[in-house]
Amino acid sequence: MQQVNINDKWTFRRGVLDSIGMLKTDPGVTVDLPHDGMISTKVSKDAPAGFDSGYFGGDICNYSKNVFIPMEWMDESVKLQFDGAMMHTSVDINGCKVGEHHYGYSPFVIDITDVVTFGEENRITVNLNTGTQPSSRWYTGSGLFRELKLLHGPLVHIVPDGIYVYTKEITEDTAFLQAEIDVENKSLQNKIVEVSCSFVKEGEKEEAAFSKQVIQINPGKSETARMVVTVKKPGLWSIDNPNLYTVKTSAKVLGSFRSHFIPDEVIAEDEQCALFGIRTITTDAIHGLRINGKMEKLKGGCLHHDNGLLGAVSIYETEARKIKKLKEVGFNAIRTAHNPPSAALVEACDRLGMYIFDEAFDAWGMSKRAGDYSQYFVSEWEKDLTAFVRRDRIHPSVIMWSTGNEIPERGGLNNGYTLATRLADKIRFLDRSRPISNGICSFWSGLDDKMAQNADQNQNAKEASDSTLWERYTEPFTNGLDVVGYNYMEDIYEKDHEMFPNRVILGSENFPQEIGFRWPMVEALPYVIGDFTWTAWDYIGEAGIGKALYVDKDDFLADKGPWFIMPPSTTYYPWRLANDADFDITGRMLPQGAYRSVVWGSDETFIYSLHPDHFGKIEKTSMWGFPGVVSNWNYEGYEGKSVQLVVFSRADEVEIVCNGSSIGKKAVVKDGKLPNSVRFDTVYTPGKVEAISYKDGMEISRAALITSGKPAKLIVTPEESKMNSDGREIAYINIDIVDADGLVVNDAKIALKAEVSGCGYLAGFGTGNPITEEDYTDDLTVTFRGHAQAIIRSTHESGKSSLMVCGEGLEPVTVTVDLD
């Protein structure tokens, strides 16, 4: 079917649009899709979801747009294709309800053929409701936060997301593929249809392979054309060489079949294209995970779906930027925690080379929050799971499915064992080419009252190593899983391998600060195929789960464990972000990311400091926390005071040099809780402090912290100089506060104002500060650690977009981005 872009110029309103009278009484605001209706709302300490949502409240909103449906489409099929809509969506055409959909993350299609008026404008209205709070354990956003497409095509057409191709075998110079194309017949006659598919490698013009099959499709039915495809000298898809093919499919109606074949005088034809990559996947307990026959360890990061300053808006450029930065640290895989991702993210992973652990649900029939998906799971899981798998199953970046995360039914409650098998069987029916998993956690929940009495109720508490209760109670739940996901249970990998020697284990979610001493085990055990940290990229909600506190010995927190400083105990309004990641929400790498890169093999040296106020105090980190080190050597008023430096390095030893004088050399710690690190106690002296790493007596790298002067000017740097004028492109513009010599003032807190003129508009403005009341959609922010970020979104006009940034006491700076 042909796709019509209708993402521009929607009218957005609060509340329910249930009559044409509201169109006149509330003019609304004009927005382009994708759009998040929640990110512009005010946060409140009284928000029903509290720290879960980052203190954002839910709301009810609607979108409307008049779309002209040509008379030429009268004998065609017309549909709306949503990549996701948050949530409890109701769709009207000209005031008539045509469909609804509850799950905010799964794609869905609504057929509007029978209700539109051809040759006229038709009002499309979408009402959405996130008002039942709490509805999630993290920030969801609201509204049409992913793409919406208008589809039209002949009555006999390829079903949306109906192209499925997978690799059966790769020999030395040939790939053997299986193609299955779903075709729907909305006519009133039995139709004979020739279905074909061709493969063209991206960047080339010559057809690499072709196959066709003739099938019969009866009225109101769909059928699948199955074809064997052979590709000579294929370009294989991998994370290092993400070779892609465009699969061009065609459904050509040859005629009708009554008691014999009757050819059509006019042949109708429908076409659809999809991206595909040739690669194989196998898993077993001896060889682990193999992609194209090569063993791989998944260096994984869990990702929630929001995009920081933009809220839940998903656009290709935002997702591609994220994936590029994760690859620079060493990540080769992401887990779409804990829901189907956007199509934009999947495409970015296809094109850039990133594995996806593709997840369906955070809850089944037993709720985690009062307003979550559990209310609809029984009646809608199969529909939502099917739509999700059908959309993503052709994509080479998707290497594994997850049926859920930390599901309360994992111990058998609510018929959980049977449900687990049914979900796995459904995926296997839809896709035979990938392993299936589930992120299973300890029994901090998921047991009945009797069994739970002796269990640790802290979230993701560890299972006792001398008990087999977890293994016994989850074994039926793992029926149908090819890979068993272990959330935060590395300590039982080896024990469980003895119990289940053929089990393939994945560290599906793990504490970020433990990567240093966990990763060598992952590398050493062939049946463990990888590790996914929580999380790779910071996000809104679950506010403050990652934090480090420094307390005196007589402080009441001194003898408290890490669970005590988890929310809500020490997370108060206006905490907004989880603060547990390798990158902040603006894409700046945090010390945790630097440390991970060293663990994964980087020879770089990274030096950080702890504030002098922390010296001699007890360091308390939450389970998702990381030491509170910062890239800063500006401590005015603390001259001569004791301070600690923390260095991350893979070297044998590190030397610290302060203002040209060595203050000592130490061996890098290779064991304990934070291997590949070393700490130095010294006194704060302004100037330059360097860390020099040595291996076998030779310097391999160095890094420095330098005391800056006072804030003197703004440096405003666009990451992109050009955008397309399609309303969907993004330009990230980074803002630094520097001194007279151009050094970043890492402790600068400067009030900024942004103004955009020309063809673009300000889509986001803010920082990575995890504790804030700022509105990311307005024009004001205060720098955090010397940095801020502005995001310009393109309009539908060609020309220039200018951003002027004004800083308190600093000269304004203007930069320009071209729109083509």
Side-chain angles (χ1 to χ4, degrees):
M1 302 184 79
Q2 295 186 50
Q3 300 178 358
V4 179
N5 181 357
I6 58 171
N7 286 311
D8 64 310
K9 298 180 180 178
W10 287 74
T11 301
F12 173 74
R13 299 175 177 88
R14 302 287 175 188
V16 175
L17 179 56
D18 60 356
S19 69
I20 59 173
M22 187 176 176
L23 299 174
K24 299 177 180 178
T25 59
D26 182 358
V29 295
T30 301
V31 301
D32 289 339
L33 307 184
H35 173 262
D36 180 1
M38 186 182 290
I39 195 65
S40 60
T41 61
K42 298 296 183 183
V43 290
S44 168
K45 63 180 179 180
D46 299 320
F51 65 85
D52 275 346
S53 64
Y55 294 96
F56 281 89
D59 70 346
I60 299 171
C61 63
N62 66 84
Y63 298 78
S64 63
K65 178 183 173 74
N66 290 329
V67 177
F68 183 76
I69 305 296
M71 185 64 71
E72 292 78 13
W73 296 4
M74 180 172 285
D75 295 324
E76 295 186 336
S77 179
V78 185
K79 302 180 181 184
L80 291 172
Q81 184 177 34
F82 295 78
D83 192 42
M86 188 61 66
M87 55 187 294
H88 303 310
T89 305
S90 177
V91 181
D92 296 355
I93 301 294
N94 300 323
C96 175
K97 183 175 179 178
V98 293
E100 64 181 15
H101 186 82
H102 291 290
Y103 195 27
Y105 299 103
S106 61
F108 61 101
V109 175
I110 294 178
D111 193 323
I112 60 174
T113 308
D114 294 338
V115 292
V116 295
T117 303
F118 295 95
E120 296 182 12
E121 285 198 335
N122 292 255
R123 175 170 61 88
I124 304 173
T125 298
V126 185
N127 285 293
L128 306 107
N129 183 359
T130 57
T132 303
Q133 293 288 330
S135 63
S136 173
R137 298 185 299 118
W138 56 86
Y139 174 88
T140 61
S142 69
L144 297 178
F145 69 124
R146 295 179 179 173
E147 283 213 339
L148 168 59
K149 297 173 182 176
L150 177 65
L151 309 179
H152 73 97
L155 294 178
V156 178
H157 55 265
I158 299 166
V159 176
D161 294 326
I163 304 173
Y164 175 42
V165 184
Y166 65 94
T167 306
K168 294 194 295 184
E169 183 184 5
I170 301 172
T171 61
E172 190 170 311
D173 64 349
T174 307
F176 299 93
L177 314 179
Q178 178 71 30
E180 299 179 2
I181 315 301
D182 296 333
V183 184
E184 182 179 27
N185 179 8
K186 300 289 283 187
S187 77
L188 299 177
Q189 298 175 324
N190 300 328
K191 291 296 183 181
I192 301 298
V193 183
E194 180 185 275
V195 183
S196 66
C197 61
S198 66
F199 293 73
V200 178
K201 188 176 180 182
E202 283 208 324
E204 298 181 3
K205 295 182 179 180
E206 186 176 344
E207 190 175 75
F210 176 84
S211 189
K212 68 181 180 69
Q213 178 67 51
V214 175
I215 61 174
Q216 176 175 318
I217 314 173
N218 294 339
K221 302 293 184 179
S222 296
E223 297 292 345
T224 301
R226 294 177 169 84
M227 291 164 275
V228 174
V229 182
T230 303
V231 181
K232 295 288 187 180
K233 297 181 180 179
L236 304 187
W237 187 95
S238 69
I239 55 171
D240 297 319
N241 296 289
N243 293 304
L244 290 171
Y245 289 80
T246 298
V247 184
K248 299 181 178 180
T249 61
S250 167
K252 186 185 299 183
V253 179
L254 302 179
S256 301
F257 192 90
R258 302 178 79 81
S259 59
H260 62 277
F261 173 69
I262 303 171
D264 282 357
E265 294 183 5
V266 178
I267 295 178
E269 183 176 7
D270 184 43
E271 296 180 340
Q272 194 177 130
C273 295
L275 286 179
F276 172 70
I278 299 172
R279 56 101 185 92
T280 58
I281 306 169
T282 61
T283 57
D284 62 69
I286 297 174
H287 305 97
L289 170 68
R290 288 183 289 179
I291 306 292
N292 297 330
K294 176 185 175 183
M295 290 183 65
E296 291 274 16
K297 293 289 186 178
L298 297 179
K299 299 176 177 178
C302 297
L303 292 181
H304 270 316
H305 69 291
D306 79 70
N307 278 303
L309 305 181
L310 295 172
V313 167
S314 181
I315 297 174
Y316 178 82
E317 284 74 18
T318 66
E319 309 296 1
R321 176 179 182 265
K322 186 182 296 184
I323 297 305
K324 289 175 185 176
K325 287 183 175 290
L326 292 177
K327 290 195 72 170
E328 290 171 2
V329 168
F331 286 98
N332 64 15
I334 60 168
R335 177 187 179 196
T336 65
H338 300 292
N339 46 258
S342 67
L345 176 61
V346 177
E347 182 182 349
C349 292
D350 281 349
R351 293 190 177 280
L352 298 173
M354 179 70 78
Y355 299 132
I356 299 178
F357 181 22
D358 217 357
E359 193 148 70
F361 305 115
D362 189 51
W364 293 354
M366 295 176 67
S367 68
K368 294 182 179 179
R369 295 296 184 268
D372 66 19
Y373 180 69
S374 64
Q375 302 170 88
Y376 304 96
F377 177 80
V378 171
S379 60
E380 301 195 2
W381 74 262
E382 190 166 7
K383 168 180 68 70
D384 291 330
L385 186 66
T386 297
F388 155 57
V389 172
R390 284 176 58 86
R391 187 198 66 184
D392 289 356
R393 62 185 179 174
I394 193 172
H395 292 280
S397 58
V398 177
I399 62 164
M400 185 160 39
W401 304 108
S402 170
T403 56
N405 170 68
E406 298 182 357
I407 298 301
E409 287 93 335
R410 63 192 177 278
L413 301 181
N414 193 37
N415 203 29
Y417 297 151
T418 301
L419 274 174
T421 301
R422 288 179 62 196
L423 266 72
D425 285 349
K426 184 63 182 181
I427 292 179
R428 197 164 282 112
F429 171 77
L430 295 165
D431 175 35
R432 298 168 294 284
S433 69
R434 294 173 178 84
I436 301 168
S437 186
N438 184 291
I440 310 174
C441 61
S442 63
F443 279 124
W444 56 271
S445 68
L447 296 173
D448 70 4
D449 292 351
K450 180 177 180 179
M451 298 301 299
Q453 286 180 4
N454 297 319
D456 189 337
Q457 301 299 304
N458 286 309
Q459 184 175 351
N460 297 113
K462 297 183 184 302
E463 289 291 335
S465 59
D466 59 349
S467 169
T468 60
L469 182 144
W470 184 86
E471 288 79 5
R472 288 183 287 111
Y473 267 69
T474 59
E475 185 177 2
F477 189 81
T478 65
N479 183 42
L481 300 183
D482 305 290
V483 176
V484 180
Y486 283 54
N487 283 15
Y488 308 101
M489 293 189 294
E490 299 95 322
D491 291 338
I492 63 173
Y493 288 175
E494 292 178 272
K495 179 187 73 173
D496 281 18
H497 178 61
E498 293 181 4
M499 294 182 66
F500 309 106
N502 295 313
R503 176 176 289 184
V504 180
I505 293 173
L506 171 65
S508 42
E509 190 170 317
N510 293 306
F511 296 120
Q513 61 182 313
E514 295 185 356
I515 185 65
F517 69 90
R518 299 296 191 185
W519 186 250
M521 176 181 62
V522 174
E523 289 189 306
L525 302 178
Y527 53 87
V528 177
I529 64 173
D531 177 282
F532 283 80
T533 187
W534 191 268
T535 58
W537 199 277
D538 207 2
Y539 59 97
I540 304 171
E542 290 191 304
I545 67 168
K547 63 167 72 74
L549 303 178
Y550 294 84
V551 300
D552 293 321
K553 294 179 181 179
D554 58 353
D555 192 294
F556 85 102
L557 288 172
D559 61 353
K560 301 294 184 184
W563 301 107
F564 189 83
I565 61 173
M566 288 285 294
S569 299
T570 58
T571 302
Y572 307 113
Y573 179 83
W575 265 96
R576 176 175 296 180
L577 308 180
N579 195 45
D580 64 350
D582 289 24
F583 286 86
D584 75 10
I585 62 168
T586 71
R588 292 187 181 275
M589 186 176 72
L590 297 169
Q592 180 176 302
Y595 178 65
R596 188 179 311 279
S597 72
V598 169
V599 171
W600 282 343
S602 172
D603 285 328
E604 282 191 74
T605 298
F606 297 92
I607 180 172
Y608 300 97
S609 67
L610 285 163
H611 196 284
D613 283 344
H614 300 334
F615 190 85
K617 295 187 177 182
I618 299 173
E619 182 177 82
K620 310 289 292 185
T621 58
S622 65
M623 295 305 297
W624 287 270
F626 194 78
V629 297
V630 291
S631 179
N632 184 42
W633 200 236
N634 289 356
Y635 296 116
E636 185 178 1
Y638 289 88
E639 292 80 3
K641 300 290 186 181
S642 295
V643 66
Q644 189 172 80
L645 296 167
V646 181
V647 180
F648 301 143
S649 173
R650 286 180 64 86
D652 300 326
E653 54 186 2
V654 170
E655 180 182 19
I656 295 294
V657 176
C658 186
N659 296 329
S661 298
S662 176
I663 64 171
K665 186 181 288 188
K666 282 187 176 182
V668 175
V669 174
K670 297 298 183 180
D671 54 16
K673 295 295 186 181
L674 205 67
N676 299 304
S677 71
V678 59
R679 298 191 181 212
F680 291 84
D681 293 342
T682 185
V683 295
Y684 174 61
T685 304
K688 181 179 182 181
V689 59
E690 282 188 289
I692 307 170
S693 293
Y694 297 93
K695 195 167 188 177
D696 298 326
M698 302 293 291
E699 178 183 336
I700 60 170
S701 61
R702 65 173 62 195
L705 298 174
I706 303 174
T707 306
S708 68
K710 298 295 183 183
K713 56 184 176 180
L714 292 162
I715 299 295
V716 182
T717 310
E719 293 183 9
E720 302 85 10
S721 60
K722 292 183 179 180
M723 290 190 291
N724 290 326
S725 55
D726 61 1
R728 291 180 291 171
E729 291 224 355
I730 293 291
Y732 287 89
I733 301 175
N734 298 313
I735 302 162
D736 301 315
I737 306 296
V738 301
D739 66 8
D741 296 323
L743 293 173
V744 174
V745 185
N746 287 307
D747 60 344
K749 299 178 182 178
I750 303 293
L752 301 180
K753 182 178 176 62
E755 181 179 333
V756 173
S757 58
C759 299
Y761 64 92
L762 188 66
F765 190 43
T767 73
N769 189 350
I771 307 172
T772 181
E773 291 183 288
E774 290 183 352
D775 181 345
Y776 295 149
T777 65
D778 71 13
D779 58 357
L780 301 174
T781 193
V782 175
T783 59
F784 180 63
R785 294 177 180 162
H787 305 294
Q789 186 177 80
I791 303 175
I792 296 178
R793 185 164 171 177
S794 69
T795 59
H796 298 268
E797 303 174 47
S798 298
K800 295 183 181 296
S801 181
S802 295
L803 168 71
M804 182 175 70
V805 180
C806 302
E808 187 176 4
L810 304 174
E811 287 291 321
V813 175
T814 299
V815 295
T816 299
V817 177
D818 293 329
L819 276 76
D820 296 330

